[in-house]
Amino acid sequence: MPTPADPAAALPLTLDLEDFKGDFSFDALFGGLVDELLPEYCGEDDAAPAPPPPPPVLGAAPPVFPAVDELLGLFKHSCKELVDLRKQIDKRLQNLKKEVAVQDAKHRKTLGELEKGVDGLFDSFARLDSRISSVGQTAAKIGDHLQSAESQRETASQTIDLIKYLMEFNSTPGDLMELSPLFSDDSRVAEAASIAQKLRSFAEEDVGRHGVTTAVGSANASRGLEVAVANLQDYCNELENRLLARFDAASQRRELSTMAECAKILSQFNRGTSAMQHYVATRPMFIDVEIMSTDIQVVLGDDGLQADSNYIGDGLAQLYKEIADTVRREATTITAVFPSPNEVMAILVQRVLEQRVTTILDRILIKPSLASLPPLEEGGLLQYLRVLAVAYDKTKELAKDLQSIGCGDLDIEGLTESIYVAHKDEYTEFEQASLRQLYQSKMAELRAEAKQQSESTGSIGRAKGSSLTASPQQLISVTVVTEFVRWNEEAIARCTLLFSQPTTVAANVRSIFACLLDQVSQYLTEGLDRARESLNEAAAMRDRYVIGSSVSRRVAAAAASAAEAAASAGESSFRSFMIAVQRCASSVAILQQFFSNTISRLLLPVDGAHPSACEDMGSAVSVVEAAAHKGLLLCIDTVMSEVERLLSSEQKATDYRTPDDGAAPDHRPTNACIRIVAYLSRVLEVAFNALEGLNKQSFLTELGNRLHKGLLNHWQKFTFSPSGGLRLKRDITEYGDFVRSFNAPSIDEKFELLGIVANVFIVAPESLASLFEGTPSIRKDALRFIQLRDDYKTAKIASMLNNITAE
């Protein structure tokens, strides 16, 4: 307790627990404690002004904060009360903890008792559920027994009725007059049909079962039922006929409901197969002769004769469209009438393909005999193949249309293929025979044109040597080869249309392409052979007019004229052969392009097919190349023969000697050189255009070598003076400039060395050694040429050569 001397004793202070509940604020609590002691710090606006401070005591220091003692006392007192309050709170907390512990123990005890009760309740529920399940199973068994009993009762009742009806049918064979009204009541036809079917099935099963027993047992068991089976069969047949008659009558009146009722009843007989087949068989498109006649007329025309493939294709498209429309209309009726429309549609579509389509195909696809081919004037085998392709294509389109309309489980694709199987089995043989027929016809046509051209030329043309030159009809024609390729391309298109399996397609394509290879190879080879024959005839003509030196001037003049004619014929034959080679190259390029664009993609999917076809094509081209090679060698012989003739006739002995009249030497090329270069330029122009690549390089190189050798042999016949050596060098330069157009470095080098060799006629005898030293590669030819110097003996060059060779 505060003492009287304590400043806080005069301040009433009471702290309550309520002050600390809710939104506690220390600032508010502190303000409540000090507001009475420090009124001058209150923030009220209406508070009285603070009294002035007391006057200071003389000699004493004025207090800094006068109320500090009171506040200290207050704070101490407050702390004491707060301690008391804390103790009270602690005591109350202890009491609460004790009460909570007691309640918690009671709660745990109660929960334990509840868990025991719940466990017992769950056990009771489990026993109840087990009991309910047992009762339910018992009830289900009872229900099953009751249902089985009811079913047996109904079966027994039906069996009694069936036995009664069976006894009625077990009367005298063929006597159906004493049957129950059920079997004669038209309003109960469906019920009668169902019962009759059951009776017949039972009787037939009984007869069949006893048919495998002993003879004695069979004699006793099935005696009566056989009569019932016969009577039931007769009744079912009669009932089925009645229903079909009603069905037909309703069909004529377009009474779909009656048709559907009859179809439903008829479905109990053989699953309705007879009704379905009867409906399909009575369709007008299968029984109307006029419709069948119209089909032929639409496809083949009014006269009914064999038309071309385009006309037949248009006719088939029109006919098949009409068939598809008819089937589409029938599908509407079938869907409305029959319980199983898919089965009926399968029968209908099968009948359409097997009867109506096959009938028209038999008229237009008459397979010709390979032993006696139809003439091309009537279309030949190609007409049959074209009709086969267009018919197959249109039939496939019809099959797709029919499948989109609906055909049940019918394998319409397989059925369509079976229609054409007889034609497809022999397709490859017919295609090859057709290609051979076309080729033979074309060759006969070309031979006839060539013969006509030859006859129109007459004896005048032959006198002028035209027989040595192939006529335009005898020359190779790229247009003809293009026609071969077009035939083959059309055949390949038919093959890919008729077959879809890659292996089959590849095998047929190889066979068809082999025909093209044979045709192109044979045509080109024969054309080259004809052109080569002209070269041989020109060579024979040249040989025929070779004469000796001891003949009269008149004979020599005649022989020279004939030689000119033979040379002209040879040049013409050369041109013809070069044109043939050029056209061969173009034809082979067309063949290779066709192989790359069309054949390769069809062979690549099959292992080994493409390499084999490449080998076949390589072999065919090799045959053509061999024929061309023989002809090109003859061309070189022809050119060199003319070169030799010009050298012999135009080259004078005085060309390479010093003029006897003292005239200045002529440094122009000799007349023989000028004539030969002019001839070679003229005749080889066609070779430059006709040949290309390695063929051109090989030909010109060989010709260059032959020309070089021929000139060397020719010059061995002359003697040369220094001025003649200069003229020879001029000829060599002229020849070298010309052969430079061959683009053959080896030939250029030979003529360059030949020009160097010609220096042996120009240099002084004492300078020959230096010539050999400067160009040792010319030693062999130079030694031969040195002997042709006109001063060889007078200048004693032989001894000089001995010294040179000794060194």
Side-chain angles (χ1 to χ4, degrees):
M1 293 296 296
T3 60
D6 189 355
L11 297 175
L13 177 65
T14 302
L15 295 176
D16 193 359
L17 291 176
E18 297 298 328
D19 296 337
F20 298 94
K21 294 181 178 181
D23 296 332
F24 173 73
S25 174
F26 178 78
D27 293 340
L29 177 63
F30 184 78
L33 292 175
V34 301
D35 280 350
E36 294 182 1
L37 297 178
L38 301 174
E40 62 273 17
Y41 294 101
C42 295
E44 291 82 6
D45 295 337
D46 56 350
V57 180
L58 296 176
V64 179
F65 190 51
V68 64
D69 294 334
E70 296 179 359
L71 287 174
L72 287 174
L74 177 63
F75 289 160
K76 291 179 180 180
H77 184 64
S78 297
C79 287
K80 182 179 179 182
E81 289 190 0
L82 288 172
V83 171
D84 293 339
L85 287 175
R86 186 180 67 182
K87 292 180 179 180
Q88 294 177 13
I89 293 299
D90 291 340
K91 185 176 181 181
R92 291 177 63 182
L93 285 175
Q94 291 295 329
N95 293 335
L96 286 174
K97 287 181 180 179
K98 293 179 180 179
E99 292 178 2
V100 167
V102 172
Q103 294 297 328
D104 182 66
K106 292 180 179 180
H107 178 67
R108 292 179 182 277
K109 182 179 179 181
T110 303
L111 286 178
E113 294 175 354
L114 288 175
E115 287 179 356
K116 293 180 181 179
V118 169
D119 291 340
L121 185 61
F122 282 162
D123 292 340
S124 299
F125 280 150
R127 290 193 298 272
L128 179 61
D129 183 68
S130 176
R131 181 62 178 168
I132 291 173
S133 176
S134 176
V135 173
Q137 292 177 357
T138 302
K141 291 180 180 179
I142 294 173
D144 291 341
H145 286 301
L146 292 175
Q147 185 176 4
S148 176
E150 178 63 19
S151 175
Q152 292 175 2
R153 187 190 67 78
E154 291 180 358
T155 303
S157 176
Q158 293 176 1
T159 303
I160 293 173
D161 293 338
L162 291 175
I163 292 174
K164 183 181 69 173
Y165 295 140
L166 186 61
M167 295 300 295
E168 294 178 5
F169 281 100
N170 197 28
S171 60
T172 306
D175 185 9
L176 302 178
M177 302 299 296
E178 301 298 329
L179 297 178
S180 299
L182 168 66
F183 298 102
S184 58
D185 188 354
D186 290 341
S187 62
R188 302 176 65 185
V189 172
E191 183 180 358
S194 176
I195 291 175
Q197 283 295 106
K198 291 180 180 179
L199 291 175
R200 188 172 68 174
S201 299
F202 172 76
E204 290 176 350
E205 181 181 355
D206 182 76
V207 172
R209 183 173 60 252
H210 288 86
V212 297
T213 58
T214 61
V216 177
S218 177
N220 296 328
S222 61
R223 182 181 303 163
L225 293 184
E226 290 178 352
V227 174
V229 167
N231 288 337
L232 282 168
Q233 184 64 51
D234 293 341
Y235 174 76
C236 289
N237 292 338
E238 178 187 352
L239 182 60
E240 188 173 3
N241 292 333
R242 280 171 27 195
L243 288 171
L244 289 175
R246 288 178 58 186
F247 183 88
D248 291 340
S251 176
Q252 294 293 331
R253 298 189 300 270
R254 299 294 298 170
E255 295 177 357
L256 299 183
S257 59
T258 304
M259 293 173 64
E261 180 183 356
C262 293
K264 183 177 181 181
I265 298 172
L266 286 169
S267 64
Q268 301 181 39
F269 298 94
N270 299 323
R271 299 177 59 188
T273 302
S274 58
M276 300 176 190
Q277 294 176 345
H278 176 78
Y279 174 79
V280 171
T282 55
R283 296 306 88 202
M285 74 172 103
F286 302 128
I287 59 177
D288 194 336
V289 178
E290 183 178 354
I291 292 178
M292 299 179 185
S293 177
T294 304
D295 290 350
I296 302 297
Q297 185 176 358
V298 169
V299 177
L300 296 180
D302 296 335
D303 54 5
L305 299 177
Q306 188 78 358
D308 62 21
S309 57
N310 293 330
Y311 186 91
I312 290 176
D314 295 339
L316 283 176
Q318 179 182 350
L319 174 62
Y320 286 169
K321 182 179 183 302
E322 185 271 330
I323 291 176
D325 293 340
T326 302
V327 172
R328 191 174 287 105
R329 290 192 298 270
E330 291 292 345
T332 303
T333 302
I334 289 171
T335 303
V337 170
F338 289 93
S340 303
N342 288 336
E343 297 180 15
V344 185
M345 286 301 299
I347 297 174
L348 176 63
V349 171
Q350 182 175 357
R351 187 71 175 269
V352 166
L353 292 175
E354 290 181 348
Q355 179 174 332
R356 192 171 182 185
V357 172
T358 303
T359 300
I360 190 65
L361 292 179
D362 290 341
R363 285 295 302 273
I364 64 176
L365 287 177
I366 302 175
K367 187 184 295 185
S369 172
L370 292 176
S372 178
L373 302 181
L376 281 177
E377 292 76 11
E378 299 177 4
L381 285 177
L382 183 61
Q383 171 69 8
Y384 163 73
L385 292 170
R386 285 176 173 174
V387 173
L388 173 62
V390 71
Y392 182 82
D393 185 38
K394 299 302 180 183
T395 306
K396 293 284 285 186
E397 292 179 2
L398 173 64
K400 291 180 181 179
D401 291 341
L402 295 178
Q403 190 167 26
S404 64
I405 295 172
C407 57
D409 296 332
L410 178 66
D411 181 12
I412 191 168
E413 183 176 353
L415 181 58
T416 304
E417 292 296 327
S418 67
I419 296 175
Y420 289 91
V421 65
H423 298 279
K424 293 172 68 174
D425 285 345
E426 298 181 89
Y427 161 76
T428 306
E429 290 79 3
F430 277 92
E431 195 70 78
Q432 291 174 326
S434 173
L435 292 172
R436 288 192 295 268
Q437 184 184 36
L438 291 172
Y439 177 78
Q440 293 168 0
S441 175
K442 188 65 178 180
M443 292 301 100
E445 176 187 346
L446 294 176
R447 285 191 293 269
E449 292 178 358
K451 183 178 180 181
Q452 183 179 2
Q453 178 71 18
S454 177
E455 291 176 352
S456 64
T457 302
S459 60
I460 298 176
R462 288 192 296 273
K464 293 181 179 180
S466 62
S467 62
L468 299 180
T469 304
S471 65
Q473 287 76 17
Q474 291 176 310
L475 287 176
I476 294 171
S477 172
V478 178
T479 304
V480 173
V481 175
T482 304
E483 191 171 1
F484 295 163
V485 173
R486 181 177 57 79
W487 297 340
N488 210 262
E489 188 174 13
E490 180 182 344
I492 294 297
R494 281 192 292 269
C495 176
T496 55
L497 172 66
L498 294 173
F499 302 94
S500 57
Q501 291 294 329
T503 305
T504 306
V505 171
N508 290 333
V509 166
R510 278 199 61 193
S511 300
I512 296 171
F513 183 64
C515 289
L516 177 61
L517 293 177
D518 293 341
Q519 292 172 359
V520 173
S521 176
Q522 183 177 350
Y523 175 71
L524 296 181
T525 303
E526 290 178 354
L528 291 172
D529 289 343
R530 287 193 300 270
R532 192 171 70 248
E533 185 61 30
S534 297
L535 293 170
N536 289 328
E537 291 179 5
M541 182 180 290
R542 288 194 305 270
D543 296 339
R544 191 179 306 127
Y545 296 109
V546 174
I547 59 175
S549 58
S550 58
V551 294
S552 65
R553 183 176 298 178
R554 183 178 178 181
V555 174
S561 177
E564 288 285 349
S568 176
E571 183 176 345
S572 180
S573 298
F574 178 90
R575 292 178 181 275
S576 296
F577 190 84
M578 284 299 171
I579 293 174
V581 171
Q582 183 180 23
R583 293 179 179 179
C584 273
S586 300
S587 300
V588 171
I590 292 173
L591 177 67
Q592 292 172 338
Q593 187 69 24
F594 173 67
F595 179 80
S596 299
N597 295 342
T598 303
I599 304 300
S600 293
R601 63 181 179 82
L602 299 174
L603 300 181
L604 285 173
V606 180
D607 292 340
H610 187 268
S612 298
C614 290
E615 292 179 3
D616 295 341
M617 185 169 63
S619 300
V621 173
S622 296
V623 173
V624 178
E625 289 177 343
H629 180 70
K630 293 178 182 178
L632 291 174
L633 292 178
L634 281 178
C635 286
I636 294 176
D637 292 341
T638 300
V639 171
M640 289 308 302
S641 295
E642 179 61 13
V643 169
E644 292 171 0
R645 189 189 73 82
L646 291 174
L647 288 172
S648 176
S649 62
E650 300 295 333
Q651 195 82 71
K652 307 302 181 184
T654 58
D655 286 344
Y656 301 117
R657 294 180 183 176
T658 304
D660 295 336
D661 56 2
D666 190 353
H667 297 295
R668 294 175 301 174
T670 62
N671 189 49
C673 177
I674 294 173
R675 290 284 302 275
I676 290 173
V677 171
Y679 167 75
L680 291 175
S681 299
R682 183 178 67 255
V683 77
L684 291 182
E685 181 180 0
V686 65
F688 288 141
N689 296 327
L691 302 177
E692 58 184 15
L694 295 177
N695 293 331
K696 181 178 181 180
Q697 182 181 358
S698 176
F699 174 80
L700 294 177
T701 300
E702 179 64 22
L703 178 60
N705 288 325
R706 292 279 297 275
L707 178 62
H708 178 267
K709 182 178 180 181
L711 291 173
L712 281 177
N713 293 334
H714 168 71
W715 288 325
Q716 293 290 329
K717 303 174 185 178
F718 298 89
T719 58
F720 299 85
S721 66
S723 60
L726 289 174
R727 199 169 192 193
L728 174 63
K729 194 173 181 68
R730 183 69 182 85
D731 284 354
I732 293 174
T733 302
E734 195 72 15
Y735 289 127
D737 290 342
F738 174 74
V739 298
R740 198 169 290 114
S741 63
F742 291 4
N743 291 324
S746 61
I747 304 302
D748 294 341
E749 183 180 359
K750 286 187 176 183
F751 276 88
E752 289 174 2
L753 292 176
L754 196 57
I756 298 174
V757 170
N759 290 330
V760 300
F761 303 122
I762 302 172
V763 301
E766 58 272 12
S767 300
L768 289 174
S770 62
L771 182 63
F772 285 109
E773 293 175 359
T775 314
S777 59
I778 66 172
R779 177 184 292 269
K780 181 179 179 181
D781 291 333
L783 290 175
R784 287 193 299 164
F785 270 67
I786 289 175
Q787 299 178 26
L788 304 177
R789 288 174 62 111
D790 58 0
D791 60 349
Y792 180 75
K793 294 180 179 180
T794 58
K796 299 182 180 181
I797 296 177
S799 60
M800 295 182 186
L801 292 179
N802 291 333
N803 295 331
I804 293 173
T805 55
E807 294 175 358

